[in-house]
Amino acid sequence: MQVILDRCLCNRRDFSCETCFASHLVQNDFSQAACWLSTADTQRPEFLFKIYDRDQSIKTLVVKQENLLPALVSWINLWEQQAGPVI
């Protein structure tokens, strides 16, 4: 599943955003999120997120069964781990 989100569409700050993200991930209902732009069924088990952030960056996040718990705790921390050092 590919999900595209735009954080500029929502006024939630980081902590609140992470809670909202976790809720929608568990419910698999991102189309109900204020920041949702689109969803595409990729016929793959993982979620691929493309997140347009307020700092004008585009963050890519992959959530699999193996990293579901960290994604539920903090998608931002998981993205930082996946992205590696950002210069």
Side-chain angles (χ1 to χ4, degrees):
M1 182 78 62
Q2 180 181 21
V3 181
I4 301 176
L5 306 174
D6 185 345
R7 291 187 67 198
C8 294
L9 299 176
C10 181
N11 62 359
R12 292 180 187 268
R13 294 292 166 220
D14 288 351
F15 177 75
S16 181
C17 176
E18 290 180 329
T19 303
C20 182
F21 180 91
S23 173
H24 289 292
L25 185 57
V26 167
Q27 299 288 327
N28 192 15
D29 68 348
F30 277 96
S31 64
Q32 304 303 309
C35 62
W36 178 80
L37 289 178
S38 69
T39 303
D41 187 356
T42 59
Q43 301 295 313
R44 297 189 48 89
E46 70 272 0
F47 282 88
L48 173 63
F49 291 94
K50 183 176 183 180
I51 303 169
Y52 293 93
D53 211 344
R54 293 183 184 110
D55 64 0
Q56 307 306 313
S57 67
I58 302 171
K59 294 174 171 56
T60 301
L61 176 70
V62 178
V63 178
K64 302 177 183 181
Q65 191 63 39
E66 300 85 33
N67 65 5
L68 180 59
L69 183 57
L72 294 173
V73 172
S74 171
W75 75 264
I76 295 170
N77 287 343
L78 180 60
W79 172 78
E80 288 173 345
Q81 292 171 6
Q82 289 181 1
V86 178
I87 310 174

